[in-house]
Amino acid sequence: MSTQSKVESLIHESNLKGNTVFENIGEVPNFPFEDFSNLVKGIKSRQASLRRHSLLIEATIFYAVANRNEKLFYVVGQILLWGAIPFGLTLGILVSWWLLIVATLVYLFGKKIVSDTYDKSIFRSAMGSERIFCFLYHHSQICVGLTLD
C-alpha cells in the first residue's frame, strides 16, 4: 500500500469523525501561501521554514508516511530506548552500578534516533504531496514559519 493511500485512509477516518481535513492549502484559513507550489518555492528560497509543531510522536501517522528504512531506524531506536532500562538495571545489579551510566546514554541515543527519524519522515512526506501536507498540518504535526527580512 502506498503512502498516499495510507494517508487517504487516515483522512477518511478523520472525516468520518467530523474532523474534516482540507483538500488543498488554499482552503486553510490565514495560511500564508495560496498554493503548494508557492509554499515549496518559499521554503526553498528560505522565505519560510517547515517546522515540527507537536512534540508527540503519533505512531499511526508515522507508519503511514514512513518508508522502509525509516521504519527500520525507528524500530532500532525503540529497542534501544526501551531495552536500555531493564538491561541497564540488570547489569547494574549484577555487574556494577557504573553500567547505569552506559544504560542512560543508550536510552538517550535511542530517543534521539526515534525523534530524528520521525521528524525526517514527517518533513519528507509533507514536502512530497499537498494532500499529505494538509493532513499533517491539520493534525498539528507541522507548521510553517515565515522568516523576517
Side-chain angles (χ1 to χ4, degrees):
M1 187 181 254
S2 72
T3 299
Q4 191 71 32
S5 59
K6 289 177 188 175
V7 171
E8 286 296 333
S9 68
L10 290 176
I11 290 171
H12 180 68
E13 289 176 22
S14 182
N15 289 343
L16 288 177
K17 293 177 184 175
N19 197 5
T20 306
V21 176
F22 297 109
E23 292 287 325
N24 57 49
I25 289 175
E27 297 175 3
V28 179
N30 301 322
F31 197 76
F33 294 93
E34 294 176 13
D35 59 21
F36 189 67
S37 62
N38 286 339
L39 171 66
V40 172
K41 288 176 191 172
I43 290 173
K44 286 182 179 179
S45 67
R46 299 189 187 263
Q47 294 173 340
S49 61
L50 188 62
R51 300 177 186 163
R52 285 269 297 123
H53 183 68
S54 173
L55 296 177
L56 297 175
I57 292 178
E58 299 282 341
T60 307
I61 293 174
F62 174 75
Y63 281 108
V65 300
N67 63 31
R68 188 172 152 205
N69 291 335
E70 290 165 342
K71 289 176 184 175
L72 177 66
F73 278 109
Y74 185 81
V75 168
V76 168
Q78 288 285 13
I79 290 169
L80 290 175
L81 180 69
W82 296 108
I85 296 169
F87 191 67
L89 285 174
T90 304
L91 286 178
I93 292 169
L94 296 177
V95 180
S96 171
W97 285 103
W98 288 101
L99 291 175
L100 288 176
I101 295 171
V102 174
T104 303
L105 293 174
V106 170
Y107 174 83
L108 293 173
F109 183 65
K111 188 173 183 174
K112 177 84 170 137
I113 290 173
V114 167
S115 177
D116 287 352
T117 303
Y118 185 82
D119 291 349
K120 287 176 185 174
S121 176
I122 294 294
F123 292 144
R124 179 191 49 75
S125 60
M127 295 306 297
S129 162
E130 181 173 16
R131 190 79 167 129
I132 294 174
F133 179 90
C134 289
F135 172 74
L136 294 172
Y137 186 82
H138 182 78
H139 286 279
S140 298
Q141 293 298 306
I142 56 173
C143 65
V144 174
L146 298 176
T147 57
L148 302 173
D149 285 336

